[in-house]
Amino acid sequence: MLSSSRHRAHLLLGSALLAMTATPALAQTAAAPAPATPQDQTTPAPTPADAGEGLTDIIVTATKVSTNLQKTPIAMAVLDTKALTDRHVQSLYDLADGAVPSLRIATFEARQSALTIGIRGIVPLDANQPAREQGVGIYIDGVYLGRQHGLNAALFDVERIEVLKGPQGTLFGRNTEGGALSIVTKAPSGEFGGRVSGGISNFGGYNADAHIDLPAFMGFSVKLDGVLQYQGATTKNPLAGQTGWNYYDRRGGRVAVRWKPAEGITDDFSYDNAYDANTPFYSQLLNFNPNNCAAGTQASQPACTLPGTAYTTLTGAVKPLLPGVVVAGTTRMGTADIGVPQQPSIDKSYGFTNTFKWNLGPEFEFRSITAWRGVNATQWDNSGGAHRVPVVTLPAIGATNPTTCTVAAPCGFSRYSLADLRQRQFSQEFQAVGKISSVSYVAGFYYFFEHVSDDAATPNSNGIVANTTLVGGVPTVSGYNYVILDPCTGSGGFGSQVGCRSIDRASEVRSRSYAVYGQLTWDATDFLHITAGGRYTHDKKEGVLHLFRNVNYDNPANAAIVAANGYAPLNKTWSRFNPMVTLAVDASDDVHFYAKYSSGYRAGGASSRTANYQAFNPEDVKAYEVGMKAEFLDRRVRLNLAGYIMDRKDSQVDISSIQTAAGSNVNVLRTINAPGNTKIRGIEADLTVRPVTGLTLTASYAYTYTKIPPVAIVNSVTVGGVTTSTTAFQNFYIVFTPRNAASGSIDYEVPVGGGDTRVRFHLDANYAQSTQAFDQFALKADSSFIVNGRLSLADIKLSGSGQKITFSLWGRNLFDEQYVFRRDPSNSLPGTPTTNVTSGSIANVIGDYGNFNAPRTFGIEAALKF
């Protein structure tokens, strides 16, 4: 981490910047509805203000029809093409710096192959399991994506990203408790044109993309998109021939076809295919035994306490670190201390979408959205090395005749987390939208089917051997040597190769969801607008656990073990009705107020990380929100305020605990529904100012308060047929949700040399207060302050043609800020009880480990428009 004086200087600079700025093309609003008519999904170009001096209108489709963002009663933010380009956003994870303060994006564990996405404190920690759902819905061109895998693939030609805040259960359906993130791509124009761009950057990076519109022919318009992104590892792997960490290699293509066979009829078909090879962020050891754990009474060591336990005694001893292990809690490591086998994880995602629209006039438009999508994800995560369990007990230097850590049987370490996931989904949605007299309506039917299967294994990849020399004819330990274990048999007879693995878990789930919904907006007067709607959803989920701890549950020979584990397949159904009511008042043409009640729910499921495939129920949220949106001084100033109260019932939380499996006490991660209501409260403020032509200043702020009621945790251990239990109350926390977050930017452009050529300058700053990264632990990761910038010489007209070229210099994390975004204390605390519920072992205590953010990246780009 940076020195404290440097950090303070950055905060002072950021405070000055945030006081007056935020992203210019990042419009964040919540206000009264405008009259809506059925429109294409594609957004019309922003409507300029008079003489181009004021702020522009932005058209969105958050209510399933095209409306003016400023007059839509949904709290939302919009990132358009310019905002994404200015911030050099190539994938969704690039928004993790906090461009939208209430939108939080993080990797799952350290892995870029799956993202955790949250809005307004609804952030699922472990949606990585097939039978578990997200709390924020992700959509591409109106199609819901069922898994968080593959979300970090390269973005195609995006027109805008709409961030809808708060429950969207009526129009968007289940799993949108916190909101929805809607990605809208650019549709074919029917006119020849396009753009190509390319660039290079540090860490051996390069990027290129091409977007070509073909001229319309016989009613058909075609658009082709191709994307290529590469970055070398930012933390090097000292093991020859192995990949380092924070590496990615992304590429993909998309074909879109628009057919207009007759007036009022439009059919949009698209196919996309994306490939994402990546490695996780490096997991560093941040400290060593920070809680001073030692054998003795628990009361004498209050810092060395595992939440949810009632220990009275701590046993064992904290072992010394392995030779050469580096503790680095303030600085990002450029090279790992120990080389390990590491190959890229591979995500392959693809899909077909067909959207049919038949517009019969303002009163009625029929739509059909049909989609089939798939994801194949192969995970290879060896980012921890010797920084996490298992802890090795080495024979001491000078010990004679060692029997452990020998050449024949090395002591294994470095947990290689391996997983395979296969997902297929089909969805069909029918919509009817229109306006009759003073009433606008949206009605629809939705069907969703998903089939997901996965498996996981965690062999050790590395070993350490005690070297011996003969002293008086007796083998005596004289040093140590690191080795790479056999990839098929080296880890207790198993390894990382496919076919050689001991499977920790393997499961399979089929989910079906049916929904019918409707929403009406009545323009009661010129200034009063009343919206009411509801959605009925019926979910069915069936799942099986095929293997657990390498026991095949499908083999009849294991029936007794499976029964003893308490296993039952998942076969659950849930139904919900989610209403919504909004009252919007236009105090004037430029000042709007609204009050809103909304609801949503996240489906239940089962945890494949438990021996019994423990089921859990849905969670439900109710939200109350008020807001104001106003424009002043001939639309040169825009101010939006929103305040909300959300109560979530039956919150899904994760507990690390002990289960009896196959006659042994094993550590598992089970999901339960926390009793009572989780409280989430927040305030959001957005300010945009255009004081003079060419200069835009904006600022955004989000305050989020969260509180989960304490949960009574029962720990049980069975030894010799006798079960003993203890009960302790445990606090839980909502992860990746800072109490205070803000973002800001300055944008300035000035014409040069006559014509259309301009110099454009962009600078944005993003702050987030420290927050938990694990729901079981109070320990927080670091606060963050990230600054990004871009300088462009834009729209240089090439002589003799209508082509224009733009040259840009960009940088992300300009101050090279170093902060831990994910801090895990599980290896610095006593283990879960395995033989005695009142006695905790500290034999596996090492220290906190975590992941630093990406270092400063910078590059140059050229873009040609034709």
Side-chain angles (χ1 to χ4, degrees):
M1 193 173 300
L2 298 175
S3 67
S4 59
S5 60
R6 185 182 176 197
H7 190 65
R8 284 195 299 269
H10 291 173
L11 288 176
L12 288 173
L13 175 61
S15 299
L17 180 60
L18 293 174
M20 58 182 178
T21 64
T23 347
L26 178 77
Q28 302 186 326
T29 70
T37 56
Q39 299 290 339
D40 290 341
Q41 180 75 14
T42 303
T43 298
T47 303
D50 294 341
E53 299 292 339
L55 299 168
T56 58
D57 291 338
I58 298 175
I59 306 302
V60 297
T61 52
T63 57
K64 305 296 184 181
V65 293
S66 295
T67 57
N68 185 334
L69 182 88
Q70 293 298 106
K71 299 180 180 180
T72 303
I74 297 177
M76 62 187 301
V78 177
L79 288 155
D80 64 10
T81 303
K82 184 179 182 301
L84 298 173
T85 301
D86 286 342
R87 289 175 170 266
H88 196 68
V89 174
Q90 298 187 108
S91 70
L92 284 180
Y93 186 67
D94 288 331
L95 295 177
D97 57 13
V100 180
S102 55
L103 170 68
R104 311 316 299 180
I105 298 179
T107 60
F108 174 73
E109 293 286 327
R111 304 156 197 157
Q112 299 186 61
S113 54
L115 297 182
T116 296
I117 297 179
I119 298 175
R120 283 188 174 179
I122 304 291
V123 190
L125 174 60
D126 182 14
N128 203 42
Q129 302 179 56
R132 195 164 185 188
E133 307 292 343
Q134 304 171 83
V136 170
I138 313 300
Y139 296 80
I140 295 182
D141 292 331
V143 176
Y144 173 71
L145 304 184
R147 293 293 105 193
Q148 64 182 26
H149 300 78
L151 292 183
N152 204 34
L155 294 172
F156 291 112
D157 199 11
V158 175
E159 180 175 281
R160 69 185 183 276
I161 298 177
E162 298 180 5
V163 182
L164 284 65
K165 307 173 192 176
Q168 305 295 321
T170 301
L171 290 184
F172 286 84
R174 66 176 194 150
N175 305 334
T176 58
E177 292 177 299
L181 193 151
S182 178
I183 302 171
V184 180
T185 62
K186 294 182 179 178
S189 67
E191 299 179 359
F192 180 74
R195 70 185 191 282
V196 294
S197 66
I200 57 173
S201 57
N202 59 335
F203 297 106
Y206 54 84
N207 63 279
D209 59 278
H211 312 281
I212 301 174
D213 262 303
L214 301 179
F217 178 75
M218 301 291 290
F220 288 91
S221 302
V222 178
K223 184 173 181 290
L224 307 174
D225 300 304
V227 181
L228 175 66
Q229 300 168 3
Y230 177 88
Q231 177 184 276
T234 60
T235 299
K236 297 178 181 178
N237 190 341
L239 184 61
Q242 298 301 301
T243 310
W245 292 275
N246 190 25
Y247 150 98
Y248 60 77
D249 182 5
R250 308 177 188 128
R251 48 187 178 269
R254 182 175 185 270
V255 178
V257 180
R258 169 166 286 185
W259 180 38
K260 291 187 173 181
E263 182 69 25
I265 297 178
T266 302
D267 189 84
D268 285 303
F269 173 83
S270 66
Y271 169 74
D272 61 86
N273 193 306
Y275 171 94
D276 178 16
N278 61 80
T279 57
F281 286 86
Y282 188 58
S283 296
Q284 298 182 198
L285 185 61
L286 304 176
N287 46 48
F288 177 67
N289 192 15
N291 303 304
N292 298 313
C293 295
T297 64
Q298 176 71 85
S300 66
Q301 304 170 71
C304 187
T305 300
L306 180 67
T309 61
Y311 293 152
T312 59
T313 306
L314 300 179
T315 62
V318 177
K319 301 177 181 66
L321 297 176
L322 294 182
V325 171
V326 174
V327 176
T330 59
T331 306
R332 185 189 305 110
M333 295 176 66
T335 302
D337 48 14
I338 298 175
V340 299
Q342 175 68 72
Q343 66 184 75
S345 300
I346 305 294
D347 287 353
K348 298 178 180 179
S349 57
Y350 43 89
F352 303 84
T353 301
N354 193 86
T355 302
F356 174 81
K357 298 178 181 179
W358 187 6
N359 190 328
L360 298 177
E363 295 80 13
F364 181 78
E365 178 176 283
F366 170 77
R367 301 173 184 170
S368 170
I369 305 173
T370 309
W372 182 94
R373 299 198 62 84
V375 175
N376 292 326
T378 303
Q379 173 188 299
W380 299 80
D381 178 1
N382 204 1
S383 60
H387 302 162
R388 58 182 302 184
V389 293
V391 177
V392 174
T393 303
L394 289 172
I397 297 292
T400 58
N401 295 313
T403 59
T404 60
C405 303
T406 63
V407 173
C411 290
F413 70 95
S414 195
R415 180 180 181 270
Y416 209 168
S417 182
L418 314 170
D420 298 289
L421 178 136
R422 180 184 184 275
Q423 187 257 11
R424 301 293 184 269
Q425 68 172 66
F426 171 80
S427 60
Q428 174 63 58
E429 184 169 8
F430 297 112
Q431 298 175 357
V433 300
K435 184 173 184 179
I436 301 174
S437 185
S438 60
V439 177
S440 301
Y441 68 90
V442 178
F445 169 81
Y446 180 73
Y447 170 74
F448 177 81
F449 172 78
E450 182 183 38
H451 179 208
V452 194
S453 60
D454 82 329
D455 60 70
T458 52
N460 294 323
S461 65
N462 289 44
I464 188 168
V465 172
N467 299 326
T468 60
T469 57
L470 293 177
V471 178
V474 179
T476 304
V477 176
S478 57
Y480 309 100
N481 183 46
Y482 287 116
V483 297
I484 302 301
L485 300 179
D486 185 285
C488 190
T489 61
S491 182
F494 299 94
S496 60
Q497 286 184 4
V498 176
C500 301
R501 300 176 181 177
S502 175
I503 302 300
D504 291 343
R505 66 183 189 276
S507 63
E508 184 177 8
V509 183
R510 288 178 170 83
S511 302
R512 290 176 172 83
S513 182
Y514 309 83
V516 59
Y517 61 89
Q519 180 171 299
L520 300 175
T521 297
W522 175 38
D523 299 328
T525 68
D526 290 341
F527 64 88
L528 177 63
H529 316 276
I530 301 172
T531 301
R535 186 184 191 105
Y536 174 79
T537 303
H538 179 77
D539 284 343
K540 182 175 181 60
K541 187 168 289 190
E542 300 170 293
V544 294
L545 191 62
H546 291 298
L547 291 103
F548 187 81
R549 299 299 172 98
N550 217 36
V551 174
N552 188 343
Y553 280 34
D554 299 328
N555 188 343
N558 296 324
I561 296 176
V562 173
N565 289 350
Y567 166 71
L570 175 67
N571 188 354
K572 296 282 189 177
T573 59
W574 303 281
S575 297
R576 289 293 189 277
F577 177 73
N578 291 117
M580 184 276 292
V581 178
T582 302
L583 176 66
V585 176
D586 301 330
S588 69
D589 290 341
D590 297 321
V591 179
H592 313 277
F593 296 92
Y594 73 98
K596 182 178 183 180
Y597 166 80
S598 59
S599 60
Y601 101 104
R602 177 156 63 129
S607 174
S608 58
R609 302 183 192 272
T610 57
N612 61 339
Y613 203 38
Q614 182 168 317
F616 51 88
N617 290 320
E619 60 182 28
D620 297 87
V621 66
K622 296 179 180 179
Y624 307 87
E625 183 175 336
V626 294
M628 181 203 77
K629 183 177 75 170
E631 292 180 334
F632 309 100
L633 302 177
D634 294 328
R635 302 184 65 187
R636 290 182 179 273
V637 178
R638 179 178 293 162
L639 175 64
N640 304 300
L641 301 173
Y644 61 90
I645 295 173
M646 294 170 62
D647 291 320
R648 185 173 67 180
K649 183 180 179 182
D650 297 327
S651 295
Q652 298 169 9
V653 298
D654 297 316
I655 299 175
S656 181
S657 61
I658 294 297
Q659 275 189 335
T660 300
S664 301
N665 296 314
V666 297
N667 188 10
V668 301
L669 186 70
R670 58 192 178 99
T671 303
I672 67 167
N673 295 99
N677 285 331
T678 294
K679 296 180 179 180
I680 304 175
R681 312 288 188 257
I683 297 172
E684 295 163 344
D686 304 294
L687 175 68
T688 306
V689 180
R690 183 168 291 174
V692 296
T693 300
L695 176 64
T696 304
L697 313 172
T698 64
S700 298
Y701 169 76
Y703 169 85
T704 310
Y705 168 85
T706 63
K707 178 65 175 179
I708 300 176
V711 178
I713 305 299
V714 178
N715 285 300
S716 299
V717 169
T718 301
V719 178
V722 178
T723 300
T724 57
S725 302
T726 60
T727 300
F729 281 91
Q730 180 174 348
N731 290 320
F732 286 85
Y733 308 89
I734 293 180
V735 298
F736 302 116
T737 303
R739 182 68 58 89
N740 295 281
S743 69
S745 72
I746 300 172
D747 278 83
Y748 183 67
E749 67 174 53
V750 59
V752 294
D756 296 330
T757 304
R758 295 174 179 270
V759 172
R760 292 176 179 161
F761 169 79
H762 168 85
L763 187 71
D764 65 76
N766 312 274
Y767 168 77
Q769 194 173 359
S770 60
T771 180
Q772 284 85 3
F774 290 86
D775 57 4
Q776 297 185 74
F777 303 109
L779 185 67
K780 296 181 179 181
D782 297 340
S783 62
S784 63
F785 178 71
I786 298 297
V787 177
N788 309 307
R790 190 178 192 91
L791 179 65
S792 302
L793 183 60
D795 296 332
I796 305 170
K797 188 173 182 179
L798 301 181
S799 60
S801 72
Q803 300 174 356
K804 295 180 180 179
I805 192 167
T806 296
F807 297 99
S808 300
L809 174 66
W810 62 268
R812 290 182 59 83
N813 190 10
L814 290 175
F815 293 135
D816 200 20
E817 174 84 354
Q818 302 183 60
Y819 68 92
V820 176
F821 71 84
R822 178 181 169 274
R823 187 186 301 269
D824 188 348
S826 59
N827 291 342
S828 63
L829 298 171
T832 50
T834 57
T835 59
N836 189 329
V837 290
T838 61
S839 178
S841 172
I842 60 172
N844 280 324
V845 167
I846 308 175
D848 301 331
Y849 75 98
N851 308 104
F852 278 85
N853 65 309
R856 174 172 50 218
T857 53
F858 54 87
I860 57 174
E861 287 182 344
L864 176 68
K865 294 173 65 176
F866 57 91

